[in-house]
Amino acid sequence: MGLRFRFRGIPFVATVVVVGVGIALGNWQVRRAGEKVAIAAQLHERGMQAPIVLGGGGGVRQDDRVGSRAHPTYRRIQVTGEFVRSWPVFLDNRPHAGRAGFYLAMPFRIAGSDRHVLVLRGWLPRDPREYGRLPEYATPQGTTTVEGVVVDKAGHVMQLGTAAALKPGTIVQNLEVMDVARASGLRLEPFFVQQTGPQVAGDPIVRDWPAPDTGIDKHRGYAVQWYALAAMAALFFVITGFRSGRKQVE
């Protein structure tokens, strides 16, 4: 007995719609992945460029002046100046290596100016026995040079409850540069400096920053799912068509 296919109009139209939507959304996710690949390449290129130098006393090129568009995200930066030791802020819910802890943020005055940058100094562990106890750390005194990477965010976590009023030593869940500028009265540049550098013996601050996630694999995974949905819809239409044809013959 030969195979017979029974064509049905309504299932055919529904299949065409599902296949069309699946392919269109899959193509969109592929394009998004391509865009993210280009972004990742750009970030890598920025990381290979010579660092922006601020407050070093040797002058700063016009293209690298503070606040200019020449401060792209993930560009390396070197800032000479002094930490504002009286204004630490602790970002809560920042685990590291399976341990609860904080990110320490602190304003840093650029040498030779009244401008500041907000430095993310690194990760500090939370005391498991006393929830609200602040960790101990050391801050360099006098003029020092901080090396790091320009980032536009300190990382966002789910806000639980109402945010506390910002003041020195506050534990917060999320932090914006302009919030610190308003609360402290300091002139802050509109970006963070994610401090880098080797671990100093005896220093509890850890600077093992997570690599930026551009989401390339996520978009590729979504594309596969949409293409699979389109393929399954087409296959389902063909299989049910042959089954209906066989029943019709019987």
Side-chain angles (χ1 to χ4, degrees):
M1 182 178 63
L3 293 176
R4 181 176 179 180
F5 183 84
R6 181 186 177 189
F7 180 84
R8 295 173 297 170
I10 294 178
F12 174 75
V13 172
T15 300
V16 169
V17 171
V18 173
V19 170
V21 170
I23 292 176
L25 291 176
N27 290 342
W28 178 70
Q29 291 291 348
V30 168
R31 289 194 297 270
R32 290 290 292 152
E35 293 170 0
K36 295 298 181 67
V37 168
I39 292 173
Q42 188 179 43
L43 295 182
H44 176 74
E45 181 182 355
R46 290 175 182 175
M48 298 300 292
Q49 294 176 353
I52 299 168
V53 179
L54 301 177
V60 178
R61 295 190 323 233
Q62 179 69 15
D63 287 345
D64 284 345
R65 56 192 170 85
V66 176
S68 75
R69 295 183 65 185
H71 289 284
T73 305
Y74 299 114
R75 178 80 180 270
R76 291 188 297 144
I77 190 169
Q78 186 180 83
V79 190
T80 298
E82 187 174 353
F83 279 108
V84 182
R85 300 160 57 89
S86 61
W87 250 98
V89 180
F90 298 86
L91 280 73
D92 201 2
N93 297 327
R94 291 337 194 254
H96 174 76
R99 299 177 62 192
F102 309 91
Y103 285 164
L104 171 61
M106 189 176 290
F108 186 89
R109 184 179 63 82
I110 301 170
S113 77
D114 63 347
R115 308 292 298 186
H116 300 72
V117 292
L118 194 56
V119 177
L120 297 172
R121 296 189 57 193
W123 179 87
L124 287 165
R126 176 189 287 280
D127 188 339
R129 297 165 298 180
E130 191 173 344
Y131 183 83
R133 182 178 180 180
L134 296 177
E136 296 181 359
Y137 59 92
T139 301
Q141 297 187 19
T143 301
T144 187
T145 297
V146 170
E147 295 182 354
V149 176
V150 175
V151 293
D152 56 359
K153 299 290 184 182
H156 187 84
V157 299
M158 181 180 294
Q159 181 70 43
L160 301 176
T162 303
L166 200 57
K167 60 183 180 180
T170 304
I171 298 176
V172 299
Q173 294 174 70
N174 296 292
L175 188 66
E176 299 292 339
V177 172
M178 291 302 101
D179 292 338
V180 179
R182 283 191 294 267
S184 66
L186 299 174
R187 299 183 65 191
L188 284 166
E189 298 304 325
F191 55 83
F192 294 88
V193 173
Q194 195 177 73
Q195 187 175 358
T196 57
Q199 183 73 26
V200 179
D203 188 354
I205 299 177
V206 178
R207 300 188 180 95
D208 182 19
W209 300 104
D213 181 15
T214 56
I216 297 172
D217 291 337
K218 178 184 68 176
H219 289 295
R220 287 172 174 167
Y222 287 157
V224 170
Q225 292 177 21
W226 285 117
Y227 288 144
L229 175 65
M232 289 176 62
L235 184 61
F236 180 78
F237 175 75
V238 171
I239 291 175
T240 55
F242 278 114
R243 284 182 176 178
S244 297
R246 185 180 61 184
K247 291 179 180 180
Q248 194 174 42
V249 171
E250 294 176 351

